[in-house]
Amino acid sequence: MKSKLQKGKFYQDVIVLFLLILASSGYSHFNENPVYFLSGNNSFAFSIMVQEQTGWNLGVYWRQIERTLFGELGYTTDSTYATGVVNYRLVDISKFYALNIKFKILPLDAKMLSLDAGGLIKVSNSSILSFAVYNLVLYSEKQESSLPSLEAIFNWSITNQAGVKVGIRNIGVDYLRFTLGIAISKISPFNEIIFSYVPVYSLSGGTLYHCVYGKTNVIVDNYIFELSGFYNVSESVSNYEELKSKYGLKITFAFNM
């Protein structure tokens, strides 16, 4: 009887862990719920992101875990090195809440302080609600006014290794982005594979745009390799940064020390 209870508890923990991966992996042009991370106790990571209209961006990060807290200190810049953003992310691993503070230091005359925040709420043993706010501007030298993006994703685990998700997020005041996705975990050699169909609806024009998003990562010994990308099937929207590019790709490599 005891062994059956232990086995049931093991499967429950596996499902919850899988949902934590699934919950934070929605299409948002590489914005992710800050509560999500892949890291050892101490790790160094770098990423390169390429989008059709914005060139490439490079990021370097130091990540560390102390007891129930995960911390990340990072710096990102663009292909001309004209912009620079320092970020500090803190995740409470036990409560699944996170903050990511971003300080834009370059150009010198356009400094900005903004915040991402997110968390996960366990609804049942097989479902989790992910919530996040992105790009909440706390200070801007150029008085830039933009509405932060609010996101909610409901995640349901069908089996220990497969699940689905349904989500919604605003882009400014004019667009709503929906997420319809599937995720598969622990299929050798992949740690996870995610695919999402992402329709984006224009509230003002009544137009529906169609996008697809994919993501996978592989963990081998002390090395982590992550690949994600999107493709905008419909025409681009030039007046919104997140919709103007036809495609994008992000590659992240990390190693635990």
Side-chain angles (χ1 to χ4, degrees), residues 114-189:
S114 62
L115 174 72
D116 296 340
L120 304 172
I121 298 176
K122 181 181 176 182
V123 179
S124 68
N125 289 338
S126 60
S127 60
I128 279 180
L129 179 66
S130 164
F131 62 92
V133 55
Y134 302 104
N135 300 320
L136 177 62
V137 177
L138 304 177
Y139 168 78
S140 175
E141 286 191 346
K142 287 200 169 184
Q143 302 298 317
E144 297 180 13
S145 58
S146 60
L147 186 70
S149 292
L150 303 177
E151 178 183 71
I153 300 178
F154 179 77
N155 309 269
W156 176 49
S157 177
I158 301 173
T159 69
N160 296 340
Q161 294 180 295
V164 297
K165 63 186 175 196
V166 179
I168 185 172
R169 177 185 172 191
N170 72 291
I171 307 175
V173 296
D174 295 331
Y175 296 92
L176 288 178
R177 177 165 54 219
F178 302 90
T179 299
L180 304 171
I182 59 174
I184 301 173
S185 66
K186 306 301 181 184
I187 301 297
S188 181

Side-chain angles (χ1 to χ4, degrees), residues 183-200:
I184 301 173
S185 66
K186 306 301 181 184
I187 301 297
S188 181
F190 303 102
N191 182 57
E192 63 175 344
I193 301 172
I194 295 170
F195 179 79
S196 298
Y197 163 60
V198 186
V200 180

Side-chain angles (χ1 to χ4, degrees), residues 30-32 34 61 72-76 84-90 99-106 110-117 133-140 146 148-149 169 242:
F30 310 119
N31 281 335
E32 288 184 324
Y61 311 91
E72 175 189 83
L73 180 63
Y75 180 80
T76 57
V85 178
V86 176
N87 81 283
Y88 180 72
R89 179 162 56 130
L90 188 64
L99 294 175
N100 187 26
I101 301 172
K102 300 175 293 183
F103 183 32
K104 183 179 180 181
I105 58 176
L106 293 176
K111 291 187 285 292
M112 179 189 298
L113 184 65
S114 62
L115 174 72
D116 296 340
V133 55
Y134 302 104
N135 300 320
L136 177 62
V137 177
L138 304 177
Y139 168 78
S140 175
S146 60
S149 292
R169 177 185 172 191
E242 295 184 57

